[in-house]
Amino acid sequence: MKHLHSASWGITALGLLAIIAAVVLDLDAMWLMGGILLTWAGIVKIIVVLIWTRIAGIGSDRHLPEKSM
């Protein structure tokens, strides 16, 4: 889960960097939209990983896998 959490923050940071670059360098709206979508996807992914680790306990000793039939 640590790598998934790091990747989520990386996606968010990359999206913010694309937004800043689009505004500062006066790039096309495509770069701005791509940055917005990356940032939004990163934020959603961070929230989902936090739910998995904090509430469901996935990736820890608290999580017991479901038994198959």
Side-chain angles (χ1 to χ4, degrees):
M1 284 292 169
K2 182 185 267 188
H3 298 294
L4 190 60
H5 191 70
S6 299
S8 304
W9 281 102
I11 289 171
T12 305
L14 189 62
L16 290 173
L17 184 67
I19 291 171
I20 292 169
V23 170
V24 170
L25 299 175
D26 196 28
L27 298 175
D28 290 336
M30 178 191 72
W31 289 97
L32 182 62
M33 183 58 74
I36 291 169
L37 291 174
L38 271 175
T39 303
W40 183 249
I43 290 170
V44 169
K45 193 172 176 182
I46 289 169
I47 292 169
V48 168
V49 171
L50 285 175
I51 290 171
W52 285 352
T53 56
R54 305 265 170 106
I55 295 173
I58 297 176
S60 68
D61 293 336
R62 293 186 315 139
H63 177 69
L64 299 174
E66 296 292 326
K67 294 182 180 183
S68 62
M69 293 186 181

